[in-house]
Amino acid sequence: SVGWHVVHAAPAEHGRASGVSRLPWNDYAFAEDVEAIAVFRVAGLGEAERTRLAAAAAAFVGRRFNSSFELDDQAGVYCTQVALASCA
């Protein structure tokens, strides 16, 4: 591990409560139920923009999980909402 973390929105799993959490990469990527992971990188981002995106995602930590998977549902968020909002 290189000290990376994942901001993850999920229902209760792996002994963790439902919601948005910040997990060490190894805890996320090597959980026993993970079969495959794909990592994508946006080309051309500078250090400042990467830092801004990471901070925007981290701002969601502690929010409730949105199990309806509706973008308009403001009661909580799911993983795609975190990614979309962080990149806005």
Side-chain angles (χ1 to χ4, degrees), residues 47-78:
E47 182 68 28
E49 185 64 8
R50 288 192 304 269
T51 299
R52 186 198 69 76
L53 290 172
F60 284 92
V61 172
R63 295 269 314 266
R64 292 180 45 201
F65 179 69
N66 174 355
S67 59
S68 74
F69 300 104
E70 296 290 335
L71 283 173
D72 296 337
D73 184 348
Q74 298 302 307
V77 293
Y78 62 99

Side-chain angles (χ1 to χ4, degrees), residues 13-83:
E13 62 183 6
H14 304 290
R16 288 186 283 274
S18 174
V20 182
S21 58
R22 181 177 179 264
L23 304 172
W25 170 255
N26 284 345
D27 291 355
Y28 179 78
F30 300 108
E32 63 186 50
D33 64 338
V34 172
E35 294 180 21
I37 288 183
V39 176
F40 298 91
R41 175 175 270 178
V42 179
L45 292 181
E47 182 68 28
E49 185 64 8
R50 288 192 304 269
T51 299
R52 186 198 69 76
L53 290 172
F60 284 92
V61 172
R63 295 269 314 266
R64 292 180 45 201
F65 179 69
N66 174 355
S67 59
S68 74
F69 300 104
E70 296 290 335
L71 283 173
D72 296 337
D73 184 348
Q74 298 302 307
V77 293
Y78 62 99
C79 53
T80 302
Q81 286 174 295
V82 172

